[in-house]
Amino acid sequence: MESSLGILPKIGAPATRALNNAGYTALSELAGVPRAELAKLHGVGPKALEIIQSALEEHTLSLG
């Protein structure tokens, strides 16, 4: 399943809300963001970070 850079991947409601509240609304906006910074957001756990990383890798991008 290919991800789109224009939307967030399916990572669960709490993680999606946390990212939206932090100003992230698209996968492309997460490229280069430090993993530790995202992990500090309430609702963003290891599983969500792995899904985000995998989705970014489909576009040869990565978390910071």
Side-chain angles (χ1 to χ4, degrees), residues 2-6 27 53-62:
E2 185 148 333
S3 63
S4 166
L5 285 171
L27 179 61
Q53 180 63 41
S54 293
L56 285 168
E57 287 174 356
E58 290 178 17
H59 302 280
T60 62
L61 298 169
S62 179

Side-chain angles (χ1 to χ4, degrees), residues 28-57:
S28 60
E29 297 169 339
L30 297 171
V33 176
R35 195 178 181 98
E37 183 179 315
L38 294 178
K40 290 180 190 174
L41 299 174
H42 181 73
V44 179
K47 184 177 179 184
L49 290 171
E50 286 303 315
I51 293 169
I52 291 167
Q53 180 63 41
S54 293
L56 285 168
E57 287 174 356

Side-chain angles (χ1 to χ4, degrees), residues 9-36:
K10 295 199 182 311
I11 53 174
T16 300
R17 271 193 306 275
L19 291 174
N20 287 337
N21 289 339
Y24 300 110
T25 58
L27 179 61
S28 60
E29 297 169 339
L30 297 171
V33 176
R35 195 178 181 98

